[in-house]
């Protein structure tokens, strides 16, 4: 099994993320207005203010799970009466912040002055944030974003933009700070630029063998959530894309003996990233792509970049309210997956049935049937939980994944 | 054909197309006003012992409401339903339209419409206008699908009928609270009403009221309020009554939450439903009502004279379970006895232990 060596962009990422969490704590102590947001909330809006910072509890929970404290934090929330059936991100977050940031590898998040959720990724985020709204008596602004069975319609975009305008007024009122649309516009340009380089990085998966693993993309996705709109994000993704392209040119790839090119459908199993990647590598299998990451910035139902040129920043952000896979219906997900399978020459698909994410998982049985029966691509479904390791069995998962590899071999005969 | 299908077939035989509506609170008055029979697709538990068709499409960590809904629609295969309507009630339900579409055989496909009800206060900029747009789209779809025409006067008449039904429901609930009928009897009635036209619901409720008015019983035993999405199974309700608990109030989504509020009458669906969703009795699935939930529960406990609260949890319903610790804590602080139960598919294996807990709870609050 190859020894894991961090790339320069991996080291850079660690510094960025660590500094980001520390900076937030310091700035909050110095009086910054703190907003907790769900991942799809347009963070660029807050860049339009001089002293507003945002934190992303979901991303923090993923970090906790990745660092091995997910289970203990879940248990803390369960001891407070929260059901084990609730999303593990939420349980980790509540377990941490109702215990003054205990066990957080990042020192916890500074307490918010405002909570902003949206409901198209999942409505549960609004219920989760409502817990803090009640316990800490903090205002909670919900962005109401229609679910997409087809591409977002103009009317939906207008409705969303009107809510962004309300959000801006809310932040102005609560923070006492004046909104500067030019600063927000600059942040938006940074995000658009960052996304272009992100796509360059993901495109390395088309190489044979793939220049990346999906696990790289899971980890490198973090700053999109926590640093969106910053020039540092754009610069980091440019660095990441350049380094990845250079490595591919030099033949430095994560799975040189790549025999099986796999696609992962669902959120990353944060507590298993390195283990799963290594164990698959030993089988000459590489999960090269994931629906969780290839949808960022894409048109619904496609891997193609959204054309945002003709849109104002607020319109562009409204359009990108669908940047995750969860707001998409079955047909849209199927079309995007078909394109991913074809463009990246995928041999097999791993459907990770995730107990903590119904919005991602409940369509998977039909999606699996579509991929297996209509596209003729071998698939497997394994049981996971993205952040609660108690709901994952490595041996059971690998028995199934090894069976997938055998199916792929069989299909090749 | 099960009992529900028989009821729905009777509607067909009476010349009514039947629109299967996903729970929880679809715009029934509007559908009815167009001469279509709405049927809210829940309450199927007594009719299915397994959900083998749904299991091909949904993992077992989907709630039983979703799984039974899919099972019913796939089994029915268009025999009694003429269309389906879904609004964004919850994350599970929003996933189901396309899943059902895939599950139905090509020759049994059902017309299906999805529409988005703003999940924010109607006072929010753009919310009312957006709702109006969605309702206009729904009306256009209903007109085209069922060859009907919207008429404001008919809508106003349907509004009036549903107002009458809600008034009767509240009266019936009061009778139950006074001990003139058992809650289990009301729950059984409600499960049948769900698949009737509102005119027949009114007749059935009037009969129930008349029967209650002939009685003079007072509530006996410890008085409890029950909360949840759907009532517990009949065996559990009987166990509660057998343990000396009298359910005097039902904060249940298919009962009190659905009928507690009657919007201002009118002939404009946009105005009516803006009022309907904005001022709806608080439900965990209606995000803008969240802040009103605990005060409404506390008020209900006081109005019913209940000294204890039973949470009938629908397993995997995160909407209910995110709020549970907060509500439990607040009620316990007021000295209200609290019992949390959980229900899902396969309950029959747990009934014994549940009955024991109910008996222990009854003893505890009696002391």
């Amino acid at each position: 099994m190859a020894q894991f060596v961090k790339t320069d962009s991996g080291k850079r990422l660690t510094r960025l993320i660590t500094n980001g969490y520390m900076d937030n704590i310091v700035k909050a102590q110095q009086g910054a207005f703190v907003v907790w947001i769900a991942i799809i909330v347009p963070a660029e809006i807050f860049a339009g203010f001089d002293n507003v910072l945002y934190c992303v509890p979901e991303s923090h929970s993923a970090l906790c799970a990745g660092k091995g404290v997910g289970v203990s934090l879940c248990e803390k929330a369960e001891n407070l009466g929260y059901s084990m059936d609730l999303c593990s991100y939420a349980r980790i977050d509540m377990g941490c912040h109702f215990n003054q940031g205990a066990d957080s590898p990042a020192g916890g998040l500074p307490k918010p002055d405002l909570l902003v959720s949206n409901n198209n990724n999942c409505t549960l985020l609004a219920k989760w944030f409502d817990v803090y709204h009640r316990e800490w008596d903090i205002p909670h602004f919900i962005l109401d974003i229609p679910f997409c069975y087809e591409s977002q319609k103009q009317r939906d975009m207008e409705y969303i933009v009107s809510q962004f305008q309300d959000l801006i007024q809310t932040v102005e009122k609560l923070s006492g700070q004046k909104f500067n649309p030019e600063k927000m516009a600059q942040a938006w340009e940074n995000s658009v630029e960052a996304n272009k380089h992100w796509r360059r990085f993901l495109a390395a998966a088309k190489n044979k063998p793939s220049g990346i693993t999906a696990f790289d993309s899971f980890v490198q996705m973090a700053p999109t959530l926590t640093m969106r709109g910053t020039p540092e994000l754009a610069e980091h993704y440019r660095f990441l894309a350049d380094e990845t392209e250079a490595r591919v040119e030099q033949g430095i790839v994560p799975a040189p003996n790549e025999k099986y090119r796999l696609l992962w459908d669902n959120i990353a199993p944060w507590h298993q990233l390195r283990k799963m990647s290594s164990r698959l590598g030993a089988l000459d299998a590489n999960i090269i792509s994931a629906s969780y990451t290839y949808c960022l910035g894409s048109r619904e139902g496609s891997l193609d970049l959204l054309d945002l040129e003709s849109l104002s920043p607020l319109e562009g952000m409204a359009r990108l309210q669908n940047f995750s896979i969860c707001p998409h219906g079955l047909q849209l997900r199927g079309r995007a997956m078909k394109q991913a399978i074809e463009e990246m020459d995928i041999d097999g698909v791993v459907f990770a049935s995730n107990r903590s994410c119904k919005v991602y998982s409940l369509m998977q049985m039909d999606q699996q049937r579509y991929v297996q029966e209509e596209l003729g691509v071998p698939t497997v479904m394994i049981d996971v939980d993205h952040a609660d390791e108690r709901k994952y069995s490595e041996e059971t998962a690998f028995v199934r994944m090894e069976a997938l590899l055998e199916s792929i071999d069989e299909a090749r005969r | 054909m099960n009992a529900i299908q028989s009821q729905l077939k009777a509607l067909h035989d009476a010349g009514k197309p039947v629109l299967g509506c996903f729970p929880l609170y679809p715009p029934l008055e509007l559908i009815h006003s167009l001469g279509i029979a709405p049927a809210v697709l829940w309450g199927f538990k007594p009719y299915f012992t397994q959900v083998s068709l749904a299991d091909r499409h949904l993992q077992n960590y989907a709630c039983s409401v979703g799984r039974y809904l899919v099972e019913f629609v796939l089994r029915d295969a268009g025999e009694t339903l003429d269309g389906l309507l879904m609004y964004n009630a919850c994350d599970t339900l929003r996933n189901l339209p396309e899943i059902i579409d895939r599950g139905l055989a090509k020759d049994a496909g059902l017309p299906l419409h999805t529409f988005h009800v703003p999940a924010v206060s109607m006072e929010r900029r753009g919310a009312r206008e957006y709702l109006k747009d969605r309702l206009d789209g729904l009306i256009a779809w209903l007109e085209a699908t069922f060859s009907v025409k919207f008429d404001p006067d008919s809508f106003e008449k349907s509004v009036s009928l549903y107002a009458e039904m809600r008034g009767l429901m509240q009266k019936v609930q009061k009778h139950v609270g006074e001990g003139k009928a058992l809650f289990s009897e009301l729950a059984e009635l409600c499960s049948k009403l769900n698949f009737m036209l509102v005119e027949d619901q009114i007749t059935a409720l009037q009969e129930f009221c008349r029967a209650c008015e002939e009685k003079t019983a007072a509530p006996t035993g410890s008085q409890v309020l029950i909360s949840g999405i759907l009532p517990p199974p009949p065996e559990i309700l009987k166990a509660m009554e057998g343990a000396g608990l009298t359910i005097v109030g039902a904060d249940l989504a298919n009962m009190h939450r659905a009928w507690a509020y009657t919007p201002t009458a009118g002939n404009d669906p946009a105005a009516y439903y803006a009022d309907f969703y904005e001022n709806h009795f608080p439900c965990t699935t209606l995000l803008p009502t969240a802040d009103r939930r605990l005060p409404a529960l506390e008020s209900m406990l006081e109005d019913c004279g209940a000294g204890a609260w039973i949470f009938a949890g629908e397993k995997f319903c995160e909407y209910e379970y995110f709020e549970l610790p907060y509500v439990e804590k607040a009620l316990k602080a007021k000295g209200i006895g609290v019992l949390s139960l959980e229900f899902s598919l396969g309950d029959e294996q747990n009934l014994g232990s549940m009955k024991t807990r109910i008996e222990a709870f009854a003893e505890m609050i009696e002391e």
Side-chain angles (χ1 to χ4, degrees):
Chain A
M1 215 178 281
Q3 198 178 0
F4 174 75
V5 175
K6 233 181 196 176
T7 58
D8 288 340
S9 46
K11 292 174 193 158
R12 213 170 180 278
L13 174 73
T14 303
R15 282 196 305 274
L16 274 175
I17 297 290
T18 307
N19 291 344
Y21 279 108
M22 294 299 112
D23 281 350
N24 276 350
I25 291 173
V26 168
K27 284 179 184 164
Q29 284 169 348
Q30 290 171 346
F33 185 83
V34 179
V35 187
W36 282 14
I37 67 168
I39 60 168
I40 301 189
V41 170
E44 295 87 348
I45 282 179
F46 309 115
F49 295 90
D50 284 335
N51 200 19
V52 172
L53 68 90
Y54 78 91
C55 302
V56 190
E58 286 160 91
S59 194
H60 176 254
S61 292
L63 176 72
C64 291
K67 295 295 183 189
V69 295
V71 170
S72 62
L73 288 172
C74 282
E75 285 171 345
K76 286 188 162 84
E78 288 150 27
N79 288 341
L80 292 172
Y82 291 95
S83 167
M84 208 178 164
D85 293 329
L86 294 175
C87 168
S88 46
Y89 275 167
R91 281 180 283 135
I92 287 171
D93 193 53
M94 292 187 293
C96 177
H97 291 110
F98 286 144
N99 287 284
Q100 289 80 48
D103 296 343
S104 163
L109 302 176
K111 211 160 171 195
D113 299 299
L114 172 67
L115 303 150
V116 183
S117 64
N118 58 7
N119 60 350
N120 63 329
N121 209 27
C122 82
T123 312
L124 301 177
L125 273 153
K127 303 299 292 183
W128 165 6
F129 278 20
D130 258 350
V131 170
Y132 298 128
H133 162 63
R134 287 189 292 261
E135 293 289 336
W136 295 337
D137 194 22
I138 289 171
H140 178 194
F141 189 102
I142 298 174
L143 284 166
D144 178 39
I145 314 293
F147 186 75
C148 285
Y149 299 99
E150 303 166 326
S151 287
Q152 191 184 81
K153 299 285 186 285
Q154 177 69 21
R155 185 63 183 93
D156 292 337
M157 189 173 78
E158 290 163 6
Y159 176 51
I160 296 167
V161 168
S162 71
Q163 294 181 71
F164 289 168
Q165 289 161 342
D166 270 354
L167 174 58
I168 289 168
Q169 284 181 2
T170 299
V171 177
E172 279 188 318
K173 189 173 155 197
L174 292 176
S175 70
Q177 299 176 37
K178 194 86 184 78
F179 175 70
N180 183 335
E182 275 93 39
K183 289 179 74 174
M184 180 192 72
Q186 180 58 59
W188 173 243
E189 279 180 33
N190 294 335
S191 289
V192 172
E193 182 68 15
N195 203 27
K196 286 187 190 139
H197 296 301
W198 175 252
R199 307 313 290 263
R200 280 176 51 214
F201 161 69
L202 288 184
K206 293 183 185 176
N207 200 65
K208 285 185 180 178
S210 169
I212 60 170
T213 74
F215 301 98
D216 300 322
S217 69
F218 292 149
V219 168
Q220 289 287 355
M221 200 177 97
T224 288
L225 310 180
T226 57
M227 296 171 56
R228 204 148 70 251
T230 63
E232 290 81 6
L233 178 69
E235 174 52 28
H236 176 69
Y237 280 163
R238 186 199 59 74
F239 185 95
L240 173 68
D242 287 347
E243 184 189 36
T244 305
E245 284 170 359
R247 286 167 69 88
V248 167
E249 264 179 53
Q250 292 159 42
I252 306 168
V253 293
N257 301 323
E258 180 186 281
K259 205 172 147 198
Y260 308 99
R261 294 163 65 84
L262 306 177
L263 189 151
W264 177 273
D265 183 63
N266 216 300
I267 300 173
W270 299 109
H271 42 84
Q272 296 299 316
L273 293 187
R274 196 170 296 176
K275 231 193 275 186
M276 193 179 273
S277 180
S278 301
R279 198 164 161 178
L280 284 169
L283 298 166
D284 296 329
N286 185 8
I287 300 183
I288 69 169
S289 181
S291 54
Y292 190 50
T293 48
Y294 66 48
C295 60
L296 292 181
S298 306
R299 270 189 297 116
E300 301 90 343
S302 167
L303 303 190
D304 302 335
L305 259 181
L306 264 168
D307 178 13
L308 302 167
E309 299 287 325
S310 58
L311 301 175
S312 70
L314 283 184
E315 287 171 341
M317 283 180 242
R319 197 72 190 80
L320 276 182
Q321 283 299 285
N322 295 328
F323 87 60
S324 161
I325 200 94
C326 295
H328 300 174
L330 184 54
Q331 200 169 24
L332 290 174
R333 294 186 198 192
R335 288 210 306 253
M337 190 170 280
K338 180 172 186 280
Q339 185 178 353
I341 287 169
E342 287 166 359
E343 285 188 8
M344 281 177 273
D345 204 11
I346 297 290
D347 299 314
V349 180
V350 179
F351 287 96
S353 180
N354 182 353
R355 297 188 74 90
S356 272
C357 192
K358 293 195 196 57
V359 291
Y360 217 131
S361 305
L362 289 189
M363 295 191 196
Q364 283 182 319
M365 292 174 86
D366 281 278
Q367 184 84 312
Q368 184 184 21
R369 252 191 298 277
Y370 165 68
V371 170
Q372 184 100 27
E373 293 169 14
E374 293 187 45
L375 302 183
V377 175
T379 67
V380 74
M381 188 170 282
I382 62 173
D383 295 311
V384 301
D385 186 291
H386 55 266
D388 186 346
E389 200 172 349
R390 295 170 295 178
K391 296 182 184 177
Y392 171 73
S393 161
E394 183 180 347
E395 292 316 312
T396 309
F398 269 87
V399 160
R400 294 185 189 179
M401 286 199 278
E402 285 169 27
L404 171 65
L405 303 187
E406 286 169 20
S407 301
I408 294 169
D409 285 335
E410 192 58 39
R412 282 172 176 162
R413 285 203 194 100
Chain B
M1 187 172 276
N2 59 44
I4 295 172
Q5 284 179 302
S6 301
Q7 277 189 263
L8 297 179
K9 189 169 177 307
L11 293 172
H12 264 294
D13 293 344
K16 295 274 180 194
V18 178
L19 183 66
C21 302
F22 284 35
L24 289 75
Y25 312 115
L28 301 173
E29 298 86 343
L30 176 61
I31 298 160
H32 178 269
S33 75
L34 287 156
I36 302 163
V40 184
L41 300 177
W42 53 2
F44 296 120
K45 198 178 197 127
Y47 306 99
F48 298 123
T49 51
Q50 37 125 348
V51 289
S52 52
L53 294 182
D55 282 347
R56 295 198 70 231
H57 299 273
L58 291 177
Q59 291 94 328
N60 62 4
Y61 50 84
C63 72
S64 72
V65 173
R67 291 170 75 190
Y68 280 127
L69 187 156
V70 171
E71 185 72 18
F72 178 81
V73 174
L74 295 185
R75 280 201 202 190
D76 184 71
E79 201 175 337
T80 59
L81 295 176
D82 299 294
L84 292 170
L85 174 67
M86 187 222 74
Y87 81 96
N88 50 312
C90 79
D91 290 342
T92 293
L93 292 175
R94 81 177 193 193
N95 277 337
L96 300 189
E98 288 170 299
I99 288 173
I100 286 173
D101 194 52
R102 294 272 172 106
L104 289 170
K106 284 193 171 39
D107 58 357
L110 282 172
L112 186 145
H113 186 76
T114 61
F115 85 108
H116 184 89
V117 172
V120 292
S121 167
M122 294 295 159
E123 301 313 309
R124 182 82 77 79
R125 183 188 343 205
R128 277 179 195 267
E129 293 78 9
Y130 189 80
L131 176 64
K132 182 183 181 325
D133 280 349
R134 298 303 98 182
L135 286 167
D136 287 344
L138 171 59
I139 290 169
W141 178 78
L142 289 167
E143 287 181 329
T145 304
F146 297 103
S147 302
V148 292
K149 195 87 183 85
F150 173 75
D151 168 56
D153 290 338
S154 297
F155 177 69
E156 195 164 9
K157 285 188 185 124
S158 295
V159 160
S160 174
L161 283 170
Y162 274 89
E164 186 180 350
M165 181 274 290
R166 288 197 186 95
L168 282 166
M169 283 287 199
Q170 300 205 39
K171 209 170 162 187
V172 155
Q173 189 169 259
K174 195 157 176 280
H175 285 319
V176 168
E178 290 165 352
K180 293 180 180 176
L182 293 174
F183 176 78
S184 55
E185 291 165 349
L186 175 58
E188 195 188 336
L189 173 65
C190 287
S191 69
K192 295 189 177 106
L193 293 180
N194 203 35
F195 303 103
M196 291 179 183
L197 286 176
V198 67
E199 292 90 336
D200 297 323
Q201 291 176 357
I202 288 168
T203 304
L205 287 165
Q206 284 169 338
E207 278 173 27
F208 195 95
C209 275
R210 272 195 293 274
C212 288
E213 279 151 14
E214 287 165 9
K215 296 178 190 169
T216 54
T220 57
S222 304
Q223 290 158 64
V224 301
L225 173 69
I226 193 163
S227 278
I229 297 296
L230 292 170
E235 305 92 318
I236 294 298
L237 290 177
K238 289 192 166 48
M240 288 178 184
E241 286 156 359
L245 297 173
T246 306
I247 300 170
V248 292
D251 166 46
L252 295 167
N254 77 327
M255 295 173 78
H256 185 81
R257 291 187 202 175
W259 67 60
Y261 178 73
T262 299
T264 305
N267 66 1
D268 173 16
Y272 182 81
Y273 286 111
D275 183 1
F276 176 79
Y277 289 113
E278 178 72 2
N279 298 303
H280 200 280
F281 187 85
C283 175
T284 53
T285 66
L286 294 172
L287 300 182
T289 68
D291 284 347
R292 291 193 278 122
R293 187 120 166 82
L294 183 61
L297 263 183
E298 288 170 338
S299 177
M300 217 175 150
L301 278 159
E302 207 178 300
D303 291 344
C304 300
W309 182 66
I310 296 178
F311 173 66
E314 172 66 46
K315 191 166 171 68
F316 304 120
C317 180
E318 291 101 335
Y319 297 79
E320 295 278 296
Y321 278 95
F322 263 110
E323 289 197 4
L324 175 62
Y326 164 70
V327 170
E328 249 187 341
K329 189 172 148 188
L331 295 184
K332 280 179 179 171
K334 288 183 175 252
I336 304 281
V338 169
L339 173 66
S340 267
L341 300 171
E342 187 165 83
F343 299 96
S344 69
L345 275 153
D347 279 340
E348 344 26 272
Q349 284 139 36
N350 295 328
L351 293 184
S353 61
M354 237 183 260
K355 285 175 186 172
T356 305
R357 290 184 60 213
I358 289 166
E359 283 162 15
F361 180 66
E363 281 170 25
M364 183 195 81
I365 58 176
E366 202 179 359
E367 279 166 22

